């Protein structure tokens, strides 16, 4: 079942053509990784999918319903009905600092869906338990580590029972020690067949967890395929160049992390 279909999507900021004829589809249960250099349009694409940015032209179809078709957006009421089926996890967590973990999770179901407190409380505890943070349910965000904040953000997105989760570089603001705990939660979601579109610089996640990979460069999709297609036999020279560079950098960071652990426990 096709959950997302994007066709010839374009978006410009002034003279900067950020998205150039972007086309792809996502099926139910897919884990799609979007990779590419900074500034290639990956985050803008996600923001267009969930209506945080307005595209200039093209089609965005969600579960058979048009968010935008032939460059024309549907009504505000229909847009709200479509995007409520999606959840988004941001790079910098975006938790409300004045609310506890519990209040952060329960705010949207309470305001948007008018859910009963008992049902919200049960689901809140279930999702925090899923991400390993039930013991921090009444904590304030300022007392959490970066990895804990991002796991709370994932639990908060799950509270709306989305059909699809969008992740915008969810580990890029974390140090290597905390990245693993967030990736572990995302891997568990993948095993539960949650449909996910993940903008990421974590090539191990794209290679080992995703079943589809998109490589973007300068606002265009240069290559789409399975992880095997992209990582073992990329067709485009620019894809090979990018992967060689980022995998070398991540190897260096892995060695640095190992040295840090050895020094910490010495």
């Amino acid at each position: 079942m096709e959950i997302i279909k994007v066709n010839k999507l374009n978006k410009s900021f002034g003279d900067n053509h950020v998205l150039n004829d972007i086309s792809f589809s996502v099926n139910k249960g897919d884990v799609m990784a979007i990779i590419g250099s900074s500034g290639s349009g990956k985050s803008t694409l996600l923001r267009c999918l969930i209506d945080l940015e307005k595209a200039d032209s093209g089609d965005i179809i969600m579960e058979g319903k048009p968010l935008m078709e032939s460059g024309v957006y549907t009504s505000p009421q229909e847009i709200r009905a479509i995007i409520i089926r999606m959840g988004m996890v941001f790079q910098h967590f975006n938790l409300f600092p004045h609310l506890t973990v519990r209040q952060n999770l329960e705010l949207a179901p309470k305001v948007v869906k008018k859910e009963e407190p008992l049902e919200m409380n049960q689901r809140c505890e279930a999702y925090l338990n899923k991400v390993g943070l039930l013991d921090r349910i009444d904590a304030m965000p300022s007392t959490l580590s970066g990895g804990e904040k991002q796991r709370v953000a994932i639990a908060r997105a799950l509270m709306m029972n989305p059909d699809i989760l969008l992740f915008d570089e969810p580990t890029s603001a974390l140090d290597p020690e905390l990245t693993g705990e967030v990736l572990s939660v995302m891997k568990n979601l993948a095993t539960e067949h949650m449909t996910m579109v993940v903008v990421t610089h974590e090539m191990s996640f794209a290679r080992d967890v995703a079943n589809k990979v998109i490589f973007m460069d300068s606002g265009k999709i240069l290559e789409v395929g399975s992880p095997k297609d992209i990582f073992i036999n990329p067709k485009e020279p620019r894809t090979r160049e990018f992967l060689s560079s980022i995998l070398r950098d991540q190897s260096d960071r892995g060695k640095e992390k190992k040295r840090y652990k050895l020094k910490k426990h010495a």
Side-chain angles (χ1 to χ4, degrees), residues 42 98 112 215 250:
K42 306 183 303 296
H98 63 291
V112 178
F215 173 64
Q250 291 188 357

Side-chain angles (χ1 to χ4, degrees), residues 25-160:
S25 61
V26 180
N27 293 325
K28 184 175 177 61
D30 278 347
V31 178
M32 176 175 280
I34 304 178
I35 63 174
S37 301
S38 296
S40 58
K42 306 183 303 296
S43 294
T44 300
L45 173 56
L46 282 197
R47 293 175 68 85
C48 286
L49 294 183
I50 202 166
D51 200 46
L52 293 175
E53 294 284 357
K54 294 291 188 185
D56 299 325
S57 64
D59 306 319
I60 304 175
I61 311 298
M62 297 285 187
E63 298 180 295
K65 298 178 180 179
L67 182 72
M68 179 177 76
E69 197 165 25
S70 300
V72 178
Y73 278 88
T74 187
S75 69
Q77 294 85 355
E78 290 171 318
I79 289 174
R80 283 195 295 271
I82 291 169
I83 65 174
I84 202 174
R85 305 307 304 164
M86 293 182 280
M88 186 156 178
V89 178
F90 297 89
Q91 179 179 348
H92 293 291
F93 326 129
N94 287 13
L95 299 180
F96 294 105
H98 63 291
L99 301 179
T100 66
V101 167
R102 182 199 303 272
Q103 291 167 336
N104 265 280
L105 263 67
E106 294 182 356
L107 182 63
K110 177 181 176 181
V111 173
V112 178
K113 291 189 172 181
K114 314 297 183 186
E115 286 190 17
E116 294 296 325
L118 180 60
E119 181 183 350
M120 284 192 303
N121 291 341
Q122 291 173 340
R123 287 173 47 244
C124 176
E125 291 177 3
Y127 285 128
L128 285 175
N129 189 56
K130 180 188 285 286
V131 301
L133 289 172
L134 182 56
D135 61 329
R136 306 308 306 275
I137 190 168
D138 292 314
M140 299 300 292
S142 61
T143 68
L144 305 178
S145 70
E148 288 172 335
K149 288 177 183 176
Q150 196 60 291
R151 285 187 282 157
V152 169
I154 293 172
R156 180 177 63 177
L158 290 170
M159 282 290 288
M160 294 295 284

Side-chain angles (χ1 to χ4, degrees), residues 97 107 189 199 241 248:
L107 182 63
L189 290 173
V199 169
E241 178 188 351
R248 183 172 58 249

